Amino acid sequence: MVTIRLPAALFVIFLLTHSASGSYPRAQNVTWRSTNFKTILTWEPKPSADYSYTVEFSAIGRDNQKNPHCTRSTATVCDLSASLTDPNACYTAEVLSTPLLGEPTELTEFPNTASPRFCPSKDTEIDRPDFKLKVSEDKKKTTLYVSDPVTALFKDGHQQTIRDIFSDQLQYKVTYRRNKSTGKKVLYSKSNEIEVKDLDRGESYCFNVQAYIPSRDTDKQLGEMSQTQCSKDDNQSIFEVYSIGVIAAAIFLILLLIGFIIVITVVCIKRRKNALQKEKEEVPLNRV
């Protein structure tokens, strides 16, 4: 007969419990990815067929919450955009390794991995803005009309822009240069309607725009740079406006048209001469 003393029994129970909870690997590389407040939590590895993941999150100093789409899930991403309702708060999240959905368990604690702290208004990346150009009649001023990028956040049924969230903290950085020149100039504006003055009349200028939030940490103050847009050059030669291929094709078509006209003209003249010659031959000679 084998007897197990109480301390030994407790040790066995501990081993069984530890083995059960430890059978689920912990999540690794828990990372926040966020652009325009579209915020995704990602981690590794892909779970096996034996377990799933559950995400819990909370604002600093508040109770944990769960996202129903990220509970007992086999995915390794969780979209928390709609859950992080206060863009000015800071959040943390935990990824728990849990049993599969519908599988019963007596465990109350599961292997978990915590995320870094994430503060949406300070950490989300800002996407590139769109803008339009308008050159003044005197050709000395160009006005940029910038559209605020929209975010993934809604308030009272309205999709918010970065202007709605950052308010007067938001500025735009404009980088511009004369077309085909490397020298650049920079200006900052708090307005969406930006005037660039004292430009050389008739010259083409190229512009880039990016969001600028000076209240952020230095490495996060600038958003993604927009696509380059250039104004028209009134002094452009035909070779600057059109490519060599287009010009060559146009010349070929013109020569082809001239050749066609010449051929038609020659054929018409020849037919006319033949008709006149035939008429002369058909006219009878006058009797002497």
Side-chain angles (χ1 to χ4, degrees):
M1 181 176 180
V2 178
T3 59
I4 300 177
R5 295 181 181 180
L6 184 60
L10 292 175
F11 179 74
V12 171
I13 294 173
F14 169 79
L15 286 178
L16 291 173
T17 305
H18 179 73
S19 176
S21 63
S23 63
Y24 305 141
R26 291 179 183 271
Q28 300 175 8
N29 299 327
V30 180
T31 306
W32 296 98
R33 302 184 186 278
S34 181
T35 301
N36 289 358
F37 298 90
K38 176 74 172 178
T39 303
I40 310 293
L41 190 70
T42 68
W43 61 89
E44 297 174 338
K46 290 282 187 182
S48 67
D50 301 324
Y51 72 102
S52 62
Y53 289 116
T54 295
V55 173
E56 294 183 353
F57 67 94
S58 67
I60 301 300
R62 301 179 189 172
D63 294 336
N64 280 355
Q65 302 179 58
K66 290 182 180 180
N67 184 312
H69 300 292
C70 308
T71 300
R72 301 285 183 96
S73 169
T74 57
T76 56
V77 297
C78 179
D79 187 346
L80 292 173
S81 306
S83 301
L84 309 185
T85 55
D86 184 358
N88 296 312
C90 291
Y91 296 86
T92 58
E94 287 187 338
V95 180
L96 289 71
S97 301
T98 53
L100 293 171
L101 184 65
E103 183 176 311
T105 179
E106 295 180 357
L107 298 177
T108 57
E109 294 186 6
F110 303 98
N112 62 86
T113 304
S115 73
R117 176 180 293 201
F118 174 72
C119 307
S121 64
K122 295 181 180 180
D123 296 326
T124 193
E125 296 180 0
I126 304 300
D127 204 359
R128 62 189 182 191
D130 294 324
F131 67 97
K132 295 181 180 179
L133 295 176
K134 183 178 180 182
V135 180
S136 62
E137 292 184 1
D138 62 6
K139 311 294 183 181
K140 292 184 178 181
K141 179 181 71 175
T142 297
T143 304
L144 281 63
Y145 298 92
V146 184
S147 299
D148 296 322
V150 296
T151 73
L153 302 182
F154 287 79
K155 185 176 182 179
D156 300 327
H158 167 69
Q159 187 172 15
Q160 295 184 293
T161 67
I162 61 171
R163 176 75 66 185
D164 294 326
I165 295 171
F166 292 108
S167 189
D168 57 359
Q169 296 181 49
L170 173 64
Q171 299 181 33
Y172 284 106
K173 176 184 177 182
V174 178
T175 305
Y176 65 100
R177 58 178 171 81
R178 187 180 297 176
N179 200 352
K180 300 181 181 178
S181 171
T182 57
K184 296 180 180 180
K185 294 184 178 181
V186 173
L187 65 85
Y188 295 87
S189 175
K190 292 184 177 181
S191 172
N192 294 68
E193 187 174 320
I194 306 169
E195 292 185 350
V196 184
K197 301 179 180 179
D198 300 323
L199 302 177
D200 293 335
R201 184 172 183 176
E203 292 287 343
S204 172
Y205 283 84
C206 297
F207 303 85
N208 292 99
V209 181
Q210 56 193 142
Y212 171 61
I213 306 169
S215 59
R216 285 179 155 199
D217 291 340
T218 304
D219 61 337
K220 297 179 180 178
Q221 290 178 347
L222 289 172
E224 184 181 355
M225 184 172 285
S226 70
Q227 292 183 338
T228 301
Q229 292 193 46
C230 300
S231 60
K232 293 182 179 179
D233 185 351
D234 295 340
N235 300 318
Q236 283 183 309
S237 68
I238 187 172
F239 295 101
E240 293 176 313
V241 176
Y242 300 103
S243 67
I244 298 298
V246 172
I247 294 173
I251 293 173
F252 175 76
L253 290 175
I254 291 171
L255 293 176
L256 187 64
L257 179 60
I258 292 173
F260 180 74
I261 293 172
I262 292 173
V263 170
I264 294 298
T265 303
V266 170
V267 170
C268 290
I269 292 173
K270 189 173 182 180
R271 286 183 178 180
R272 181 61 178 167
K273 285 183 178 181
N274 291 338
L276 291 174
Q277 184 67 30
K278 188 175 181 180
E279 288 179 2
K280 288 181 180 180
E281 292 175 353
E282 292 178 353
V283 174
L285 295 175
N286 293 328
R287 293 180 179 180
V288 178

